[in-house]
Amino acid sequence: MIIKSGSVLQSKKASGVLWILAGLLMIIPPVFLDGNRTLIGIGAMFLIFGIVFLGRDRK
């Protein structure tokens, strides 16, 4: 039995959710520990990517 792998990760919602999850994981530690602005900026960029991926229409 052959199962097509990767089809779940190719959906629009899954990629957007993964970007948002990565953004949150980048933002949370610096906010509570040291306030590293570089990591907060990268996390914010990942959040923006996630919102864009969730909002766009894939054909």
Side-chain angles (χ1 to χ4, degrees):
M1 183 164 82
I2 299 174
I3 298 173
K4 186 177 180 182
S5 64
S7 62
V8 174
L9 293 177
Q10 292 176 354
S11 70
K12 179 176 68 169
K13 285 189 176 187
S15 61
V17 168
L18 289 176
W19 277 111
I20 291 175
L21 179 65
L24 289 175
L25 290 175
M26 287 290 284
I27 287 177
I28 290 173
V31 167
F32 290 119
L33 296 177
D34 60 354
N36 188 348
R37 290 186 181 185
T38 304
L39 291 178
I40 293 173
I42 293 170
M45 182 181 65
F46 285 175
L47 288 175
I48 292 169
F49 284 161
I51 292 169
V52 167
F53 273 96
L54 283 176
R56 72 179 184 158
D57 292 331
R58 186 176 280 186
K59 294 178 182 178

